[in-house]
Amino acid sequence: MKDKILGIFPLDWRYDITSLPYVRSVLKSRWVPFLIIVFNLFFFTIILMAGVVGGVSAGNYNFAIMFVWILWWVMLMLVFVPFFSRIWCSTCPLPAFGEWIQRLGFLKVRNKLFGLNRKWPKQLKNMWLMNFLFLGTTYTTGFLTTRPIATFILLMAIILGSVVLSTVFERRSFCLYCCPVSGFQGLYSNIAMTEIRCKDPEVCRNHNVSTRAKALGCDYQQRDCVRGNENGYACPWLEVPFNQNRRNTYCGMCFECFKTCPYDNMAFNLRPPATDLVLDKKRGLDEAWKAFMMLGIAIFFFLIMQGPFGFLKDWANAKTLAGYLSYISVHSTFNLLIFPGIFFVFSYASHALGRTELPLKRVFINFSYTLVPLGLMAWIAFSVGIIFANGSYLIHVISDPFGWGWNLLGTANFPWTPFMTGMVPYMQIGGLLLGLALSLDIGFKIARQTFKNRDEAVMGFYPIAAFLTVTTMFLMWLFTG
Amino acid sequence: MKNGKLILLIIIFVLLTSLSLTLAQPEAPREREITIEAYKFAYNPEIIEVNQGDKVTIRFISTDVHHGLYIDGYELKTDAIPGHEGEITFVANKTGKFTMRCSVTCGAFHPYMISYLKVKPDYRLFGSILLALILFLSSIVLMVRKER
Ligand code: SF4
Ligand code: SF4
Ligand code: SF4
Ligand SMILES: [Cu+2]
């Protein structure tokens, strides 16, 4: 019997969007995604300027804060990542300068990249650095979302960081292993309902490479999509595009492989949600921790931004140094130790009940991926709580981006208008229950992978299912009760 | 058969909890006057609780600058500056948790200036917890059946 997600969508169902007319030729054009990057660059220039000159002390009347933290962040969680994987990275203007410097140009292809092109250190080829950089960024959440200049500093740090690292390390090493918003996009894009994979593995297998290369066992490095050619660059994200057993995590959706493949064998697929989570490949503690931290941070962000406790807001706002240090230590301890610790207890129970020969560590890592759907839904619940209440500020700031008293679109005096706030709790509950259903479903499939025998799988699944259910109940209570 | 027993136990547990929740009697409605103080960037008390059907009057006081109070879901609004109180009167006929937020820009943390109105009994929460339990049980039942 074929496996299905939620008992509805067959795991291997795919629809190639590029089979529609024009889509492939658009993706093969060197103007895509270049033009969108240029447009976003213009937009982010306004954001950066607003971060400096739009000096309204209250963040809700600042263009930079509103567009970055209300619109962009919410779009990432609500639309981009769940539906289109890392499509944002495809159009992100922040590392563009670094990439253009490497390529010494905008549109032409020049496969010899400028810079030192060093290999990224092996020990850092994982999410740990991004985990800590992201955690570090959350320490400043009280400033980032309320003080325009803090947003300016963060964006500039990303831009400068990517320029510097691009000249030292090969291709998109910065995006792969440093960008603070890269890790969660990578992890949560496992759920995405789209992917970039090769169309027909048989074509890739027969893709003509020299017999010598084949004999040397390095033939895959000779394929156009891996090596680059006159039409496009070698995968900037260091993926092996034609590898069918990869996850969305590190594919930046730059579409270079569409341009390089001489057989038009790359596909942009629609697929059932969360299929990558079932793939038993390259799972690791770094991604497990990312999953714990993201869920924990969603809880903290909710308490700070949508909770009633003034002392927490004072902590995050650094009203007193002691308060700020308490925030940092409670926040870090919970996300790095306590929450993973609780999950460890449940994995221990699963390991004991399931009586598998596999090491406990494997069980712990495998099941940590069940937190991905629930975690994304927690972020979605958090995001709808923000956007419906505060989205109307966007209408104001778009007319007066720099706080200079402009009224570009005639909406500068648009009052604060909360929208459908009575419905928000129902959306949050609906989202979280959907997250639970997906998480349970993935847990169930991972249990069967992890425990080879059926009775053990059932026993090993109980504690994890209980953990997911209790966590969902807690989140529903936190958000809506 | 160990699994069968475990599932039976869980089902009984769920039925008992849901029974006790549905039998929870709401208290008789009454009139309440509640004073809420606003300061940068929170309210005192942080959470107010009333029962369904209560006639609620909120006296709204600001202790520092101009603040507002907007009740999600009820879509009611008032504001206050030191020396000038605001007031809202309404019948709490909708149940659940409603976020109350500041409606007057008052500083950096203004959008996060929040307190809760909880109108008991919270059927929505009971319902959603029950749904979560049902999902939990169905996943286990499905798993056991599939593995047989
Ligand atoms: S990893 Fe970060 S900097 Fe790189 S493209 Fe994605 S969002 Fe932009
Ligand atoms: S270049 Fe095309 S055909 Fe060759 S391996 Fe890559 S995707 Fe497959
Ligand atoms: S070239 Fe690499 S990063 Fe770009 S879309 Fe293809 S696989 Fe993804
Ligand atoms: Cu206020």
Side-chain angles (χ1 to χ4, degrees), chain A residues 198 200-201 203-205 207 223-226 241-242 257 260-266:
Chain A
C198 81
D200 180 0
V203 174
C204 297
R205 217 163 295 136
H207 180 170
R223 316 281 163 132
D224 293 53
C225 56
V226 175
F242 64 86
C257 49
T260 48
C261 177
Y263 301 102
D264 278 353
N265 198 32
M266 289 307 292

Side-chain angles (χ1 to χ4, degrees), chain A residues 196 235-237 239 241 246 251-257:
Chain A
I196 289 176
C235 174
W237 293 72
E239 287 276 82
R246 61 189 178 97
C251 166
M253 302 189 101
C254 64
F255 301 113
E256 286 300 332
C257 49

Side-chain angles (χ1 to χ4, degrees), chain A residues 209-250:
Chain A
V209 288
S210 70
T211 28
R212 211 180 99 78
K214 257 194 189 135
L216 289 173
C218 61
D219 56 329
Y220 90 92
Q221 294 178 349
Q222 297 296 317
R223 316 281 163 132
D224 293 53
C225 56
V226 175
R227 191 195 50 183
N229 59 20
E230 64 288 355
N231 298 320
Y233 288 92
C235 174
W237 293 72
L238 304 171
E239 287 276 82
V240 176
F242 64 86
N243 177 6
Q244 288 300 75
N245 278 326
R246 61 189 178 97
R247 300 195 268 121
N248 278 357
T249 312
Y250 291 111

Side-chain angles (χ1 to χ4, degrees), chain A residues 342-418:
Chain A
I342 298 172
F343 186 79
F344 178 80
V345 173
F346 282 83
S347 326
Y348 185 85
S350 165
H351 187 257
L353 283 173
R355 275 181 262 108
T356 171
E357 281 96 64
L358 275 184
L360 176 56
K361 188 176 159 196
R362 245 352 303 147
V363 176
F364 176 81
I365 291 178
N366 282 3
F367 279 126
S368 70
Y369 285 77
T370 60
L371 286 174
V372 171
L374 194 55
L376 179 63
M377 285 303 171
W379 276 98
I380 287 182
F382 170 79
S383 302
V384 294
I386 295 272
I387 189 87
F388 283 96
N390 296 315
S392 59
Y393 290 127
L394 288 168
I395 302 173
H396 164 91
V397 294
I398 197 155
S399 270
D400 187 13
F402 305 120
W404 287 342
W406 289 359
N407 197 352
L408 293 176
L409 303 171
T411 55
N413 296 315
F414 193 84
W416 175 69
T417 317

